Amino acid sequence: MKKDPKAYLSLIFICIVWGTTYLAARVGVKDFPPFLFMGMRQLAASLILFLLVFLMGKKPLLQWSLLKQQIVPGLCMITFGNGIVAWSVQYIPSGIAALICSMIPLYVILLNLTLKRKEKLNWQILLGTCFGLLGILVIFKNHLAELRNKEYLAGMLITIASCISWALGTIYTQRNKSKSEPLVNASLQLFIGGSGLLLLSLMFERNAELPPLSTQAFFAWVYLVLIGSVAAFGAYLYALSKLPVGLVTIYAYVNPIVAVLLGFFILQEAITLYTIVAAGVIVSGVYLVNKGYRVQSKN
């Protein structure tokens, strides 16, 4: 595989940008309903991606048989995965949310073991999973005092639940390969997920008393739509097409570190020794899991 500077730049881009989305989401939902905020973000991103499909001259395949494949991942990954994290970061630090979400590969493994008994393990995967679970315990120990606050505890648990939902959507996608264009799949998932978030907003948020969108929240929304969703997803697809998958997954190690540092410098979120230890343990766990799968695929 030839070296492609654009591919490496794309990888650096997603490593940084996807780590900033937690901060942007927290800024956006500070004074604005989170489900509505994220729903509008995902719907806008879906329309832009779908427009790009047409401008690129690709024919989208929208038969019902292909369309229905995107319903489960759209709801699991966008509505109850990515979307509800925005609710959580109202009450927990964005860096902590990012650390918990960085463990999604571990949730995928645990669910695969539950749903598919024939899933094979090696020592790297097993040790990495243990590291990840240990990291979660360290995070909870570091925030024992805050856990007395029901909203803080709910934020932590909802974030974990969102990761499980994303993992379920990932497993479903892996087992039900779509024949349509990846950009079409992404736009449909964003549209379905965004619609689900708007429905949650109608059910649980008081939109009749909707506050005006502040300047900070507006720019956070624009950033999430154009940079966090459209540009970063395009960069991710490009990096995947030019670089080894094992190299591209490095973003999973960098994103939480970026999120923790940004939360500290911009939002004055505390970084304690426990936070540093948890970050190191979780990142090590994700690394071991990915290494274990690469070793397994070669056998």
Side-chain angles (χ1 to χ4, degrees), residues 14 24-25 30 48 64 124 134 151 154-155 176 188 208 216 220 227 239 260 264 278:
I14 61 174
K30 183 179 180 181
I48 293 172
W64 171 242
Q124 293 101 327
L134 177 61
E151 290 180 334
N176 299 271
L188 289 174
Q216 282 187 330
I227 308 299
V260 168
F264 174 75

Side-chain angles (χ1 to χ4, degrees), residues 128-148:
T129 303
C130 292
F131 268 41
L133 296 176
L134 177 61
I136 288 291
L137 291 177
V138 172
I139 290 174
F140 271 92
K141 180 174 176 56
N142 185 35
H143 295 274
L144 284 177
E146 290 94 332
L147 293 180
R148 297 172 186 171

